Amino acid sequence: MASSTPDWSAFRRDFPILNQQVHGHPLVYFDNAATSQKPRQVIDALVKYYEHDNANVHRGIHELSNRATNAYEGARKRAAQFINAASADEIVFTRGTTEAINLVATAWGNKFVKESDVILLTEMEHHSNIVPWQLLAERTGAKLRYLPITEDEHLLDLPKLDELLTPEVKIFSMVHISNALGVVNPVAELCARARKNGTVTLVDAAQSAGHCPLDVQEIGCDFLAVSGHKMCAPTGIGFLHGRAEILDQTPPYHGGGEMIATVDYFKSTWNKIPHKFEAGTPDISGPIGLHVAMDYLDAIGRDKLFQHDQELSQYAYDRLAEVSGTRLFGPKAGRAGLVSFLLDDVHAHDVVTIADRFGVALRGGHHCTQPLMKKLGVPSTARASFYFYNTTDEVDRLIEVVHEIKKFFGN
Ligand code: 7TS
């Protein structure tokens, strides 16, 4: 891990996409919470794989298949190390966080969740950590329950947890970093309280895995879900971490090749974890790209990266707060690398559309958190989300553009 403060703008050289004009202006890419850009190292690894090593995994005895298998399994080991999992067997490759949560809600949920059980979520969850549980609740008759957020800074209302975490709560599934608010939740504390109650835990690490150090043993969760594309890896790859003991008890999610030990016409037996959960030919280049992305991020140091995210978002928050008529969401301090805001009566989509004319890529909408938006009393927000290659100059540019938008709407 590098010891001095990195020259953040120097990383931009690794991201060819950032060096372009959009509508005649230099691109300012502030939509990293949706997906991050990919460094040349990751792109090169994909090209190298397809030019030299492409073959199916776990089947051939030929050289290329061995190479592909070693690379695929090497990425699994690297993913385990990246989050300090006890073993590579605890890493199941998935398309991303959404598929990881669906796997748990379906395979684990169908077996272990009963009508008398409660599924506890928080009011700031992404749809992908709500809808799979609603589907499970419909199948089983279990009830959903939500840990509320506070009125002022939209943090989890932790004192309420005591009354909500009753013996019926079978699973508590929680977001680590909120994609709509920038709140960083105390997941280790939440998991410890759940564990004492005999409640299984899942941490949605979609926004945190590539942005801050992550240690599943320290967090003490049973499951953790990660999306590679938000942390410099290609789209279509992510993983589920599950403690070996709980994965062993969980039945398969999808049936097909690879996930079996034996198949007869009427009965099959299952492969060991994690292969039991990886039916069919997997995404092979994805884990290879993910491996390089994890190396890239750790060469910077995720502790430093998080600090940069936090400094940039604090700077953006404070500068936006100076602009009259802005409404800001989430905490005033200690936020992750994103800021959600609204401007006077301007619709978030108009903010984003005009910002785009100036080359600034924001996101406007409900951010797949419709229940949260309802709670906040707004249909949508505009969101600027940062990564290590973003700079304070770019935030200054955003502020200039915000003033242009206000002028345009006569404010
Ligand atoms: N959980 C959180 C907290 C997220 O932010 C997202 C995606 C997901 C789960 C789903 O991840 P996926 O990779 O499976 O799609 N969030 C966003 C966003 O904020 N804008 O676009 C996608």
Side-chain angles (χ1 to χ4, degrees):
M1 218 175 262
S3 58
S4 56
T5 304
D7 173 6
W8 297 105
S9 59
F11 293 113
R12 298 176 72 84
R13 287 197 285 274
D14 291 333
F15 292 80
I17 201 168
L18 295 176
N19 185 24
Q20 64 174 291
Q21 303 263 314
V22 168
H23 304 305
H25 300 277
L27 168 66
V28 173
Y29 186 77
F30 280 168
D31 197 16
N32 293 286
T35 199
S36 79
Q37 297 304 346
K38 323 301 173 198
R40 197 187 293 279
Q41 290 84 338
V42 168
I43 299 166
D44 287 350
L46 301 182
V47 172
K48 179 177 170 287
Y49 167 70
Y50 280 117
E51 286 188 350
H52 296 278
D53 304 325
N54 176 56
N56 212 329
V57 290
H58 301 138
R59 340 183 162 217
I61 308 187
H62 60 80
E63 170 65 17
L64 295 193
S65 177
N66 285 339
R67 278 191 225 154
T69 304
N70 288 341
Y72 182 77
E73 292 303 328
R76 196 193 306 278
K77 284 200 191 87
R78 184 66 182 86
Q81 187 198 18
F82 193 71
I83 58 163
N84 196 30
S87 142
D89 293 344
E90 298 192 331
I91 304 294
V92 178
F93 285 122
T94 64
R95 285 193 287 129
T97 301
T98 302
E99 191 176 51
I101 298 174
N102 274 279
L103 191 164
V104 177
T106 306
W108 176 85
N110 284 356
K111 180 165 173 192
F112 290 104
V113 174
K114 304 277 175 292
E115 192 179 354
S116 54
D117 289 333
V118 169
I119 299 160
L120 180 61
L121 308 171
T122 83
E123 282 184 345
M124 62 171 82
E125 298 307 320
H126 187 277
H127 294 167
S128 64
N129 199 25
I130 297 176
V131 183
W133 303 112
Q134 289 176 343
L135 293 171
L136 175 64
E138 272 174 27
R139 289 194 298 276
T140 58
K143 303 279 173 303
L144 294 165
R145 191 179 281 173
Y146 288 88
L147 178 60
I149 56 168
T150 57
E151 292 282 327
D152 47 355
E153 296 198 68
H154 312 130
L155 303 169
L156 288 181
D157 195 346
L158 295 178
K160 295 251 164 71
L161 190 58
D162 283 334
E163 65 193 72
L164 295 176
L165 200 54
T166 56
E168 303 82 54
V169 180
K170 189 75 187 172
I171 180 149
F172 181 13
S173 190
M174 69 201 81
V175 70
H176 190 185
I177 291 180
S178 155
N179 67 317
L181 298 168
V183 171
V184 185
N185 287 321
V187 285
E189 180 193 335
L190 296 174
C191 289
R193 287 171 72 173
R195 199 165 49 248
K196 257 194 223 148
N197 194 52
T199 298
V200 169
T201 49
L202 186 153
V203 173
D204 171 350
Q207 297 293 346
S208 60
H211 289 261
C212 60
L214 209 55
D215 180 331
V216 286
Q217 300 191 56
E218 210 172 273
I219 294 171
C221 53
D222 293 296
F223 295 109
L224 179 123
V226 172
S227 290
H229 71 95
K230 295 185 198 290
M231 46 179 273
C232 293
T235 46
I237 189 65
F239 59 86
L240 170 71
H241 166 262
R243 282 195 307 104
E245 189 192 351
I246 199 161
L247 282 183
D248 270 331
Q249 294 164 3
T250 303
Y253 179 40
H254 293 145
E258 281 300 299
M259 50 74 69
I260 50 85
T262 62
V263 177
D264 207 341
Y265 281 121
F266 298 101
K267 178 96 189 120
S268 302
T269 57
W270 317 135
N271 202 340
K272 293 197 295 268
I273 64 164
H275 308 290
K276 179 169 79 174
F277 299 106
E278 293 180 2
T281 299
D283 179 1
I284 302 166
S285 63
I288 290 170
L290 177 64
H291 190 154
V292 176
M294 293 186 286
D295 285 348
Y296 187 94
L297 296 174
D298 278 345
I300 299 172
R302 273 177 285 162
D303 47 349
K304 291 200 173 65
L305 205 150
F306 192 45
Q307 199 184 334
H308 177 69
D309 269 5
Q310 290 197 297
E311 284 168 5
L312 216 49
S313 86
Q314 190 65 49
Y315 180 65
Y317 184 94
D318 293 343
R319 296 241 26 216
L320 280 166
E322 288 163 12
V323 180
S324 65
T326 47
R327 181 169 168 201
L328 290 143
F329 299 88
K332 292 187 176 62
R335 56 177 39 248
L338 64 94
V339 180
S340 256
F341 64 99
L342 282 175
L343 284 184
D344 296 313
D345 305 325
V346 186
H347 194 282
H349 283 134
D350 293 333
V351 171
V352 173
T353 304
I354 300 175
D356 178 58
R357 305 310 301 172
F358 290 97
V360 178
L362 303 175
R363 177 112 196 224
H366 51 63
H367 313 295
C368 294
T369 56
Q370 279 184 10
L372 174 65
M373 293 293 128
K374 209 180 270 178
K375 176 90 187 183
L376 298 173
V378 296
S380 55
T381 71
R383 180 186 71 185
S385 55
F386 314 114
Y387 214 5
F388 56 89
Y389 40 67
N390 291 126
T391 64
T392 46
D393 287 349
E394 289 182 303
V395 175
D396 290 339
R397 178 72 186 139
L398 168 67
I399 302 298
E400 279 170 22
V401 167
V402 163
H403 283 292
E404 292 293 335
I405 297 167
K406 281 170 64 76
K407 244 190 270 166
F408 184 86
F409 283 95
N411 291 314

